[in-house]
Amino acid sequence: MTWPTASTWLVIVVAGVGTFALRASFLALADRLTGLPHDVREALRMVPAATLAALTIPALVRPDGDWALLGPRALAGVLAGLVAWRTRSALLTVVVGLVAVVAIEAILT
């Protein structure tokens, strides 16, 4: 194992400072967010849900790179989505989704 060079450490420090500055800027400017128009605030409320969907949907419908719209993960995702919609419980949604994907995969294989 070789020790990282000075340029490697410089990149790590610059990336860390940049990340910190970006996150701190939102805290420093939070008081200005109250002046945003109502439509913009409503759109910003949807960002976490859109981000979660963008991260999970590809894993559900393309688990191995090929489309699997009726695969075990997609079916478990639909079931978990229904549980989330009806109960609004994140814990129950995760548990039902995990149990469903394991059960469906066990049945189909």
Side-chain angles (χ1 to χ4, degrees):
M1 181 174 150
T2 60
W3 188 254
T5 62
S7 60
T8 303
W9 285 111
L10 179 64
V11 169
I12 291 170
V13 169
V14 168
V17 168
T19 301
F20 177 78
L22 183 63
R23 292 174 188 233
S25 68
F26 286 105
L27 294 175
L29 300 174
D31 60 333
R32 295 184 185 189
L33 291 178
T34 58
L36 291 176
H38 178 72
D39 293 339
V40 174
R41 283 192 310 236
E42 287 298 314
L44 287 175
R45 287 185 57 227
M46 302 299 172
V47 169
T51 303
L52 182 61
L55 291 173
T56 57
I57 296 299
L60 294 177
V61 297
R62 294 191 70 172
D64 298 321
D66 296 326
W67 289 99
L69 295 178
L70 296 176
R73 290 184 182 189
L75 296 175
V78 169
L79 182 61
L82 290 172
V83 169
W85 174 59
R86 297 292 288 165
T87 66
R88 300 206 183 265
S89 168
L91 179 62
L92 186 60
T93 300
V94 170
V95 169
V96 167
L98 287 173
V99 169
V101 78
V102 170
I104 293 170
E105 284 183 349
I107 290 169
L108 294 180
T109 56

